[in-house]
């Protein structure tokens, strides 16, 4: 056997032995600092990629297809849904959102990890499908009053919209005990450090 053949076999063997990546799921009520924490985590862990969801909501100014979301028409989304192409999906304010199996597998099969930003039902669906390969982290506000104050400071929504978000938050909080870890964001720096530690420990342990 030639030296080149040996090298090719070694490369193929190394690729075959690459363990699949893992999934880290963040869920939290709106206004809890989830997006800020996710950005820091992605910078701290170069081997974690952010999972880009598909959605039927209209593209906003400055967004790009495949960066913020994969933008699909409602018929396209429903066709993929019927074909079982989603890990999870949900509907918010009249629009579908979902994680495509094909996109997730393309990342995980290379040994890279995925960070997903999902609602509580999506998180449960991921855990059901991936088991110990997935880590669910629920990020809680210090209190409902603190959450309301944060949402009001944004000044991006009407009082009615804020009330709807608070009602949704109360519902989501009822699922917190079903997550692998719960972190209270009463101090952003402390919450980030706690989540970094949780993720580091999770990635260092075999999921088999």
């Amino acid at each position: 056997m030639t030296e080149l053949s040996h090298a090719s076999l070694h490369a193929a063997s190394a690729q075959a032995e690459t363990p699949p990546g893992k999934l880290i799921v963040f869920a939290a009520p709106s206004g809890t600092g989830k997006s800020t924490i996710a950005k820091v985590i992605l910078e701290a862990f170069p081997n974690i990629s952010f999972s880009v969801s598909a959605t039927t909501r209209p593209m906003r100014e400055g967004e790009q297809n495949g960066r913020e979301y994969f933008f699909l028409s409602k018929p396209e989304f429903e066709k993929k849904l019927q074909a079982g192409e989603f890990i999870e999906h949900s509907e918010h304010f009249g629009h579908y959102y979902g994680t495509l199996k094909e996109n997730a597998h393309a990342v995980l099969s290379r040994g890279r990890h995925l960070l997903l930003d999902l609602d509580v039902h999506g998180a449960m669906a991921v855990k059901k499908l991936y088991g110990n390969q997935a880590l669910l982290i629920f990020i809680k506000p210090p209190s409902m009053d603190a959450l309301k104050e944060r949402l009001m400071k944004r000044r991006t929504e009407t009082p009615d919209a804020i009330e709807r978000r608070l009602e949704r938050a109360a519902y989501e909080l009822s699922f917190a005990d079903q997550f692998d870890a719960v972190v209270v964001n009463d101090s952003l720096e402390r919450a980030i450090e706690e989540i970094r530690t949780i993720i580091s420990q999770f990635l260092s342990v075999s999921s088999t």
Side-chain angles (χ1 to χ4, degrees), residues 3 8 23 37 41 95 112 164 171 175 179 185-187:
E3 184 177 346
S8 299
L23 302 93
I37 293 172
I41 292 300
H95 299 298
R112 289 187 59 80
R164 287 198 300 272
Y171 172 74
F175 286 82
F179 281 65
N185 184 11
D186 51 1
S187 163

Side-chain angles (χ1 to χ4, degrees), residues 20 24 29-30 34 118 135 139 148 177:
I24 299 105
S30 179
K34 179 175 57 173
L118 302 176
L135 170 70
I139 304 170
K148 183 175 182 178
D177 62 356

Side-chain angles (χ1 to χ4, degrees), residues 16-130:
E17 293 172 1
T18 300
K22 296 183 177 182
L23 302 93
I24 299 105
V25 180
F26 284 179
S30 179
T32 313
K34 179 175 57 173
S35 297
T36 301
I37 293 172
K39 182 179 179 181
V40 175
I41 292 300
L42 289 169
E43 291 173 352
F45 293 89
N47 58 338
I48 298 179
S49 298
F50 187 73
S51 176
V52 179
S53 298
T55 184
T56 59
R57 79 153 171 78
M59 188 185 300
R60 296 169 183 166
E61 185 177 353
E63 291 183 332
Q64 293 180 13
N65 187 45
R67 187 178 66 185
E68 286 80 13
Y69 289 98
F70 292 103
F71 294 94
L72 304 175
S73 68
K74 192 170 182 179
E76 286 175 327
F77 195 105
E78 291 177 340
K79 183 178 180 180
K80 290 180 179 294
L81 187 59
Q82 291 172 1
E85 295 182 25
F86 286 97
I87 294 173
E88 57 77 36
H89 73 282
S90 59
E91 186 175 0
H92 297 291
F93 305 108
H95 299 298
Y96 286 128
Y97 295 83
T99 304
L100 287 162
K101 290 179 180 178
E102 181 180 8
N103 295 344
H105 178 72
V107 175
L108 298 173
S109 63
R110 300 199 308 270
R112 289 187 59 80
H113 310 299
L114 267 181
L115 176 62
L116 298 90
D117 177 353
L118 302 176
D119 67 7
V120 291
H121 294 294
M124 296 297 108
V126 169
K127 193 66 172 180
K128 182 177 181 180
L129 187 61
Y130 288 94

